[in-house]
Amino acid sequence: LVLETLRPDVDAFLEYGNELWNPLYDGAQWCSLKGGEIGLTRYQYYAKRSIEICQIWRGSGVVDGRFKCILSGWAGQNHVNTEILTHAKSQVENIDGALALSDLFHSFATTGYWSCGLEHNGGSNVHLSISQMLDRCRDSTELQSFEDRMLQDKAIATTYGLPFSTYEAGPSLVEYTAIHGGISTEGYAKKLIELSRHAEIKDIYKLYSDIAVNKVGVTLWMHFVYQTGPSKYGSRGLQ
């Protein structure tokens, strides 16, 4: 399908799966199960299969420079990303001692989300005005924190000879305790959705994307879009 129908001006990017290191998803449980059968951790199995899937596709004839494999990791989680990349490097060297990760993968990717420090403390943040929330998003501390986290992930990618990119990026205006613990603050999701739809978010989005692309040097900035719209947790991505 890719060979026959992909427009010549479009690149195809391939990942083995969506956040297969993330225990929230069934795919991660699958990696834990299959990895355990051969003595590997979830992260090591993800690295192993990512290489194998990429090799299958590369062997299919899609080798004209438009086909690119992505190896992804967990934003800000150094130990996870190091384990993924260490095992991937070892696997590649076992295939061919002269082969490097960059010979197979376009880049190492994590997320490029920003939340303006509003993802926690819903009980107090719900009392902020939209104007105060916008000020939080523009706060130099929040901007620097975002840059530092992106640079941290990029440094690990660079150590293993890979460019750094994102597989999802954009605003993450959600309440984390609602997602991860089922504990939500009444009225907070509604306010976060209102914030996400404010006209000034456009310029704030540009602030963060400029940091990622122009200061951090992200090679691929993947805008995340939820076609289903906001949820009971708030608003993530472009709505």
Side-chain angles (χ1 to χ4, degrees), residues 1 5 7 23-24 26-27 29 55 66 107 110 117 122 134 144 148 158 165 173-174 181 198 214 220 222 225:
L1 180 65
T5 64
R7 290 194 343 242
L24 286 175
D26 290 342
Q29 307 309 319
Q55 285 184 301
R66 296 181 301 145
S107 56
T110 62
L134 289 166
Q144 189 61 55
D148 290 346
T158 301
S165 62
L173 303 174
V174 296
H198 195 281
N214 298 322
L220 184 67
M222 295 294 290
V225 179

Side-chain angles (χ1 to χ4, degrees), residues 51-118:
I51 291 169
E52 291 170 349
I53 295 298
C54 184
Q55 285 184 301
I56 290 170
W57 276 71
R58 285 169 63 89
S60 68
V62 191
V63 291
D64 59 1
R66 296 181 301 145
F67 177 75
K68 308 173 192 302
C69 297
I70 301 290
L71 187 65
S72 70
W74 200 338
Q77 301 297 314
N78 289 358
H79 68 290
V80 173
N81 297 336
T82 298
E83 185 171 343
I84 289 171
L85 286 161
T86 298
H87 194 73
K89 182 175 183 291
S90 173
Q91 291 288 299
V92 167
E93 290 174 347
N94 285 339
I95 295 170
D96 182 341
L99 203 61
L101 282 177
S102 58
D103 293 321
L104 280 182
F105 293 102
H106 167 273
S107 56
F108 179 72
T110 62
T111 59
Y113 284 122
W114 45 271
S115 55
C116 310
L118 298 169

Side-chain angles (χ1 to χ4, degrees), residues 214-229:
N214 298 322
K215 296 186 74 174
V216 176
V218 168
T219 59
L220 184 67
W221 179 257
M222 295 294 290
H223 303 274
F224 184 74
V225 179
Y226 243 145
Q227 293 184 332
T228 55

